[in-house]
Amino acid sequence: MIKFFRKIRQNLLMENKTGKYLKYAIGEIVLVMIGILLALQINNWKEESQNRRYENTMLKEVKKALVVDLKNIKNNISYLKKVKYSIHEITRMKNDSLNQQDSLYEHLDFIDGYGANFIINKSPFKAIESSGLDRISNTEIRNALSKLYGYRIESAENFINEVMRNELFKRNDLKEEIFGYNIVARDENNIVNKLVIENFETVLKHPKMDYFLYTSGWPLSRTIRLLETVEGQMNELKKLIETEFNK
């Protein structure tokens, strides 16, 4: 009988040790799991922090480029509007012989060599695009970037480079034929083609004058509208970036 009770006691002791071991093992597993979860969370925080720093850096670069590009576009629009006004004034002179023609030289100077200096700094956008636009967390900014650099600027560039410049080449072929140029030396090192008009009436009534004005003018209005659209979208993107920084 005594042996029987001793055996029961030994079994209880063994069960108690097993229970403690199981509790210890479960505790170890829980601690390991907590450690893994903490490590993953810390890693996520680090990645989020790195992505945020990258995003802020790249958006600052985009904004910096926008400030310069907006200034250039504004100057271009202002200049092209003056050219457009000059074309309008020359057309008035041509159609009204009583119009004062004293300013003809000034207006012809604007028309003579105008073009569109459309240079955009796309480097920040290209850098973002190469690493993935999804790294920009703000959906509005991401869409605005794609719309501006992926479509609007390219559309303006294509028109200016392929259509407008082709028309300006035609204009250049007509200039000397209609107006004539004299070679003038301003100083020893500076020789230029100087526009000389001996008879205003003859120039304004030249059979190719209408074509010259048309070739000079029609792409001008379209170019101004394109540049104004680009300018508007650039200002919109700039405001979105500034709002993001102020959050």
Side-chain angles (χ1 to χ4, degrees), residues 81-119:
K81 283 183 176 179
K82 289 179 181 178
V83 176
K84 186 177 179 180
Y85 173 75
S86 290
I87 292 174
H88 173 74
E89 287 300 293
I90 293 173
T91 303
R92 282 205 313 129
M93 292 175 190
K94 177 182 178 299
N95 295 329
D96 184 359
S97 59
L98 297 177
N99 251 307
Q100 292 292 326
Q101 297 171 352
D102 297 341
S103 57
L104 182 60
Y105 272 117
E106 178 187 347
H107 294 307
L108 286 174
D109 278 342
F110 270 113
I111 299 175
D112 184 34
Y114 93 84
N117 184 24
F118 190 61
I119 300 173

Side-chain angles (χ1 to χ4, degrees), residues 189-201:
N189 301 314
N190 190 2
I191 298 176
V192 297
N193 281 328
K194 177 68 176 178
L195 177 65
V196 175
I197 299 176
E198 295 179 355
N199 189 311
F200 287 100
E201 196 68 26

Side-chain angles (χ1 to χ4, degrees), residues 172-196:
N172 292 340
D173 291 338
L174 294 167
K175 284 191 304 185
E176 191 168 350
E177 181 181 349
I178 297 173
F179 306 114
Y181 288 86
N182 285 348
I183 302 298
V184 178
R186 291 182 179 173
D187 54 49
E188 294 180 356
N189 301 314
N190 190 2
I191 298 176
V192 297
N193 281 328
K194 177 68 176 178
L195 177 65
V196 175

